[in-house]
């Protein structure tokens, strides 16, 4: 079984500042992937970034980076230079041998002007 | 990446009725999933829609309540049967995109969702 824990129901960040959204996971699969999705108020799910369990380097995609600490089973999302459009719900998810995603409870990020 | 069309985008339904949600993909995909997102909650996997065979349901979801069809590699339907207010949710279709990533995982692309309100 796989599990994702997001302990921050809500976060606030000032525009142009960086913010870290926490994610810890548990899995029995030796090989797995970690994902972050963004869900704006419109409801669509937008893929942001992926980290494979065997990847040596932390993933980066533009302003998004994933701080992967395998020993701690954490996969925190770092958003640099926050923008007002970053205000949304952010979900961490894990994929294992079964290929489907298991999602965490999400973090509502609000960017303040 | 695949483009997913889901309909209806929203509906208001009466208790005891059933509603079928359609998911059309613009390319053939092997893996297709149905998720539910209850109000203010995260996404929960209902089932994996298998082409040519019965869907694989997750714990807590049964075929009688959520029958799924997958007649080909580009289309699937999810029916929410005998609805109650507790079924008010967003239902999302998703497909695995293209090439597997390093760990064998696939990025999932999601449809825009079908927001159901049951009165």
């Amino acid at each position: 079984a796989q599990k994702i824990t997001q302990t921050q129901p809500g976060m606030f960040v000032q525009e142009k500042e960086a913010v870290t959204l926490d994610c810890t996971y548990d899995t029995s699969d030796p090989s797995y992937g970690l994902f972050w999705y963004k869900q704006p108020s419109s409801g669509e799910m937008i893929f942001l970034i992926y980290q494979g369990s065997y990847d040596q380097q932390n993933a980066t995609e533009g302003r998004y980076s994933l701080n992967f600490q395998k020993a701690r089973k954490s996969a925190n999302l770092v958003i640099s230079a926050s923008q007002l459009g970053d205000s949304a719900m952010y979900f961490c998810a894990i994929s294992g041998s079964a290929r489907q995603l298991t999602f965490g409870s999400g973090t509502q990020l609000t960017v303040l002007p | 990446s695949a483009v997913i069309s889901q309909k209806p985008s929203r509906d208001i339904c009466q208790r005891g009725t059933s509603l079928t949600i359609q998911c059309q993909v613009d390319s053939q995909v092997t893996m297709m999933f149905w998720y539910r997102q209850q109000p203010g909650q995260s996404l929960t996997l209902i089932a994996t829609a298998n082409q040519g065979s019965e869907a694989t349901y997750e714990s807590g979801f049964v075929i009688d309540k959520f029958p799924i069809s997958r007649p080909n590699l580009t289309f699937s339907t999810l029916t929410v049967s005998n609805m109650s207010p507790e079924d008010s949710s967003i239902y999302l279709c998703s497909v695995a995109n293209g090439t597997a990533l390093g760990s064998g995982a696939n990025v999932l692309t999601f449809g825009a969702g079908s927001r159901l309100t049951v009165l």
Side-chain angles (χ1 to χ4, degrees):
Chain A
Q2 300 178 315
K3 184 178 181 181
I4 292 283
T5 302
Q6 294 180 254
T7 58
Q8 306 156 314
M11 288 283 286
F12 292 88
V13 64
Q14 208 69 40
E15 193 177 8
K16 300 181 184 178
E17 298 290 313
V19 63
T20 298
L21 306 184
D22 294 341
C23 172
T24 58
Y25 63 90
D26 194 20
T27 180
S28 55
D29 286 326
S31 178
Y32 51 90
L34 295 154
F35 298 77
W36 279 91
Y37 281 81
K38 172 184 178 181
Q39 187 179 43
S41 56
S42 55
E44 76 250 49
M45 293 289 288
I46 302 168
F47 166 70
L48 295 178
I49 195 167
Y50 161 83
Q51 178 85 42
S53 58
Y54 291 112
D55 292 342
Q56 296 297 315
Q57 290 190 317
N58 286 343
T60 60
E61 289 287 347
R63 294 187 297 111
Y64 304 108
S65 60
L66 202 153
N67 183 3
F68 180 49
Q69 298 186 47
K70 195 170 183 178
R72 294 186 176 185
K73 294 189 175 181
S74 73
N76 299 338
L77 177 70
V78 181
I79 304 174
S80 62
S82 296
Q83 302 172 355
L84 295 177
D86 294 335
S87 293
M89 182 72 84
Y90 288 81
F91 291 101
C92 181
I94 188 169
S95 172
S97 57
R99 304 296 173 91
Q100 72 264 36
L101 292 179
T102 299
F103 286 86
S105 56
T107 296
Q108 179 68 50
L109 177 67
T110 303
V111 180
L112 304 171
Chain B
S1 58
V3 176
I4 301 173
S5 300
Q6 229 183 290
K7 58 181 182 182
S9 58
R10 60 178 63 230
D11 207 339
I12 299 174
C13 309
Q14 296 297 318
R15 181 195 298 260
T17 63
S18 299
L19 183 80
T20 296
I21 301 166
Q22 297 181 7
C23 177
Q24 179 74 54
V25 190
D26 68 343
S27 58
Q28 293 187 338
V29 293
T30 305
M31 309 191 75
M32 187 178 284
F33 307 98
W34 286 98
Y35 283 84
R36 180 177 74 180
Q37 187 176 25
Q38 295 177 299
Q41 303 295 314
S42 184
L43 282 74
T44 302
L45 181 66
I46 297 172
T48 302
N50 303 308
Q51 194 266 329
S53 64
E54 199 169 279
T56 305
Y57 289 84
E58 297 300 306
S59 176
F61 297 96
V62 295
I63 188 171
D64 289 346
K65 176 67 175 177
F66 298 101
I68 289 171
S69 78
R70 178 101 191 262
N72 56 53
L73 293 176
T74 64
F75 186 77
S76 177
T77 66
L78 168 74
T79 299
V80 186
S81 303
N82 188 23
M83 286 185 284
S84 67
E86 292 71 34
D87 294 319
S88 297
S89 297
I90 300 173
Y91 293 85
L92 298 108
C93 168
S94 70
V95 301
N97 263 348
T99 307
L101 302 168
S103 66
N106 294 92
V107 174
L108 293 195
T109 297
F110 286 82
S114 299
R115 187 184 297 267
L116 302 189
T117 302
V118 184
L119 303 178

